[in-house]
Amino acid sequence: MKKMVNGILMDMSEEDIAQYNEDQKTLPTEFDVNMEYLREIRNSLLAKTDWTASSDLTMSDNMKTYRQALRDVPSGLDTVEKVKTKLTKNDDGVLINFPEEVSNWAI
């Protein structure tokens, strides 16, 4: 294997190769990266509705169902293909395989 040092291509030492191989083990996989993105979206959608869970409000059944469905989004996603399917958007940029947002925020 080769490495670039100060603009010069050099052979890697056995120690360099061992470190490179070890570093490769800790890199996130495509699955990990996609799941992290999915969770960020899900968490953002949950955060938009956190105010409905305030102790001085009574959350509607629709909102309870929606929030639970959001929490369940990652369930059963065990391949990159399943995660990418869950992240599919329509032409308007709407996630078509996520729970539909509650249109009536009444609590």
Side-chain angles (χ1 to χ4, degrees):
M1 292 182 80
K2 304 279 186 182
K3 67 179 179 178
M4 187 71 71
V5 178
N6 297 326
I8 301 170
L9 194 59
M10 302 178 64
D11 288 325
M12 292 175 71
S13 68
E14 288 186 29
E15 183 179 307
D16 290 337
I17 294 170
Q19 184 63 53
Y20 173 83
N21 289 335
E22 193 61 34
D23 291 346
Q24 292 300 304
K25 293 177 187 175
T26 61
L27 291 176
T29 64
E30 182 181 5
F31 176 79
D32 294 334
V33 170
N34 280 281
M35 282 298 289
E36 181 64 25
Y37 178 58
L38 179 136
R39 286 187 185 105
E40 287 174 8
I41 293 170
R42 185 269 320 260
N43 292 347
S44 174
L45 292 170
L46 278 169
K48 284 174 49 176
T49 64
D50 279 350
W51 67 273
T52 65
S54 176
S55 63
D56 60 339
L57 300 174
T58 302
M59 190 183 302
S60 71
D61 287 341
N62 285 346
M63 186 59 72
K64 289 177 187 176
T65 300
Y66 172 66
R67 287 175 56 86
Q68 184 60 53
L70 285 173
R71 287 190 292 274
D72 293 342
V73 162
S75 297
L77 302 180
D78 54 5
T79 66
V80 172
E81 291 75 23
K82 288 179 183 179
V83 177
K84 286 183 175 182
T85 297
K86 186 63 81 169
L87 291 169
T88 302
K89 295 180 180 181
N90 66 14
D91 292 337
D92 296 324
V94 176
L95 292 161
I96 60 172
N97 295 314
F98 260 60
E100 187 174 338
E101 288 190 56
V102 174
S103 58
N104 180 359
W105 288 66
I107 48 173

